[in-house]
């Protein structure tokens, strides 16, 4: 009888202590996380690189059958891109001549800070990078890959680390448009929780969109510069009832293949 | 006491392994939570009279909270509740002769 009472008292003390510790740790969560990130980053960096290599190896091992088809598809895509590049180079020359004639300066260069991913939140779409307040990083700065592919934006800054909310996160919403000179359809990109796909939403019903078209940032939201690549349309969803159409977008950003990423600190 | 320290160290490294290494192996775009899986297994295979599973759940939850972005306590509370539920179900409804004997 006494033993049961003693056990129950211990359980109550344990619960009260746990609640107190958890409540208190939320007041100093920034300091607690900063401390753990600091002592763990020497272990996390090599672990991240090892995981990256191992997943690449496994991917190539399981996809050997599809490599031939993939090679043919890439060769076709490469030829198309070469054709497009030559056309764009002509337009670029023409554009530069016009800019010079009108006296307009080009403003699309970024002030970048190179960084590395060291950790990823398992449940939500967040990653941790190894640059923070001391490197001049602040909240809402966009993160891109070396190929100008948008990864996300800074959601929390510590002294030496920053949390990045990925494009795929449920809470991530920003303006985007189709990257085509003939098609100026704007909408918004909503994260869906999956690392591969997002939703291109609020596209007016009357506009024509098709699969394979590339989606880029429109620059209307404020914090994102325009022209950052997001993904390509995989599937268009139309309904007679809804005033807007939607599209499933395959994201170009692959978390496993991004070794170095860049924080856009400002436009030059 | 040493066992509790070893459990703490084990779950600290398991959380690091989970958040930096295993996250590369997503299945259908989702990452499996091996830390939570380890806690569930621990509570299933622990002896009925033992309550170390709660400590395991608490430590694992705390480390998951620290290395995630939500408020500290979400994973902690979830894993403690899951552990309590497993223990309750095993005590009330499950009888495995092998575990009864050991």
């Amino acid at each position: 009888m006494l033993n049961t009472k003693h056990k129950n008292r211990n359980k109550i003390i344990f619960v009260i202590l746990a609640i107190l510790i958890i409540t208190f740790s939320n007041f100093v969560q920034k300091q607690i996380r900063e401390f753990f990130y600091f002592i763990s980053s020497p272990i996390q960096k090599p672990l991240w690189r090892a995981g990256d290599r191992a997943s690449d190896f496994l991917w190539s091992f399981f996809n050997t059958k599809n490599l031939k088809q993939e090679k043919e598809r890439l060769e076709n895509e490469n030829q198309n891109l070469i054709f497009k590049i030559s056309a764009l180079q002509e337009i670029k020359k023409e554009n530069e001549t016009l800019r010079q004639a009108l006296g307009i300066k080009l403003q699309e260069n970024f002030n970048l800070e190179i960084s590395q991913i060291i950790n990823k939140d398992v449940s939500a779409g967040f990653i941790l990078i190894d640059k923070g307040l001391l490197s001049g990083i602040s909240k809402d700065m966009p993160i891109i890959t070396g190929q100008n592919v948008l990864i996300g934006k800074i959601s929390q800054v510590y002294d030496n680390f920053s949390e990045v909310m990925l494009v795929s996160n449920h809470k991530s919403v920003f303006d985007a448009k189709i990257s085509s000179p003939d098609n100026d359809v704007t909408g918004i990109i909503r994260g869906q929780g999956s690392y591969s796909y997002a939703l291109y939403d609020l596209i007016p019903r009357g506009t024509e969109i098709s699969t394979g078209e590339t989606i880029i940032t429109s620059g209307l939201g404020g914090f994102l510069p325009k022209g950052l690549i997001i993904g390509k349309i995989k599937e268009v969803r139309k309904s007679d009832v809804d005033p807007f159409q939607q599209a499933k977008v395959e994201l170009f950003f692959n978390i496993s293949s991004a070794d170095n990423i860049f924080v856009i600190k400002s436009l030059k | 006491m040493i066992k509790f320290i070893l459990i703490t160290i084990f779950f600290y490294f398991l959380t690091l392994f989970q958040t930096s290494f295993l996250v590369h192996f997503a299945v259908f775009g989702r990452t499996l939570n091996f830390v939570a899986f380890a806690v569930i297994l621990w509570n299933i295979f622990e002896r009925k009279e033992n309550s170390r599973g709660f400590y395991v759940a608490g430590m694992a939850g705390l480390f998951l909270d620290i290395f995630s972005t939500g408020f500290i306590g979400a994973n902690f509370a979830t894993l403690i509740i899951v552990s309590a539920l497993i223990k309750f179900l095993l005590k009330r409804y499950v009888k495995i002769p092998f575990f009864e004997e050991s």
Side-chain angles (χ1 to χ4, degrees), chain A residues 14 18 22 25-26 29 32-33 36-37 39-40 43-45 47-52 54-55 58 118-124 126 163 170 192-196 255-256, chain B residues 12-13 15-26 28-34 49 54-55 58 62-76 80:
Chain A
F14 173 77
I22 294 298
S25 50
N26 273 292
Q29 57 167 299
I32 291 175
R33 286 200 167 116
F36 273 95
Y37 293 158
I39 58 162
S40 310
I43 308 163
Q44 285 183 300
K45 278 182 187 175
L47 270 178
W48 184 271
R49 281 195 293 271
D52 194 10
S55 71
L58 283 177
I118 54 170
N119 170 0
K120 193 175 125 240
D121 192 341
V122 184
S123 50
F126 287 93
E163 280 169 11
H170 274 297
Q192 297 291 290
S194 163
Y195 294 112
S196 321
I255 199 153
S256 294
Chain B
Y12 168 68
F13 281 105
T15 311
L16 291 188
F17 193 64
Q18 163 82 64
T19 54
S20 297
F21 186 86
L22 294 173
V23 283
H24 290 89
F25 306 94
F28 301 113
R30 310 261 172 191
T31 315
L32 296 172
N33 193 337
F34 283 91
E49 66 274 11
F54 286 113
Y55 179 78
L62 207 59
F63 286 129
L64 278 179
D65 281 329
I66 288 167
F67 290 98
S68 67
T69 46
F71 75 94
I72 296 175
N75 286 303
F76 177 87
I80 294 251

Side-chain angles (χ1 to χ4, degrees), chain A residues 3 6 14 18 23 32 54 57 65 74 80 94 98 110 121 127 141-142 179 186 201 211 216 233 239 242 247 249:
Chain A
N3 200 21
H6 188 71
F14 173 77
T23 314
I32 291 175
F57 172 75
K65 277 184 184 175
L74 287 174
N80 284 335
E94 198 179 304
L98 286 169
F110 306 127
D121 192 341
I127 53 170
M141 282 180 174
S179 165
T186 54
D201 202 359
T211 53
I216 58 169
I233 295 178
S239 163
D242 296 327
V249 175

Side-chain angles (χ1 to χ4, degrees), chain A residues 18-37:
Chain A
I19 292 169
L20 281 175
I21 291 167
I22 294 298
T23 314
F24 174 72
S25 50
N26 273 292
F27 286 109
V28 286
Q29 57 167 299
K30 205 173 169 183
Q31 287 82 353
I32 291 175
R33 286 200 167 116
E34 174 96 57
F35 170 74
F36 273 95
Y37 293 158

Side-chain angles (χ1 to χ4, degrees), chain A residues 80-98:
Chain A
N80 284 335
L81 288 173
I82 288 168
F83 172 72
K84 276 185 186 171
I85 285 169
S86 61
L88 283 171
Q89 273 170 344
E90 286 301 312
I91 295 170
K92 193 184 169 191
K93 268 184 197 170
E94 198 179 304
N95 202 358
E96 274 169 9
T97 319
L98 286 169

Side-chain angles (χ1 to χ4, degrees), chain A residues 233-244:
Chain A
I233 295 178
K234 196 80 181 164
E235 182 191 322
V236 181
R237 295 169 190 165
K238 274 184 187 177
S239 163
D240 293 336
V241 187
D242 296 327
F244 298 104

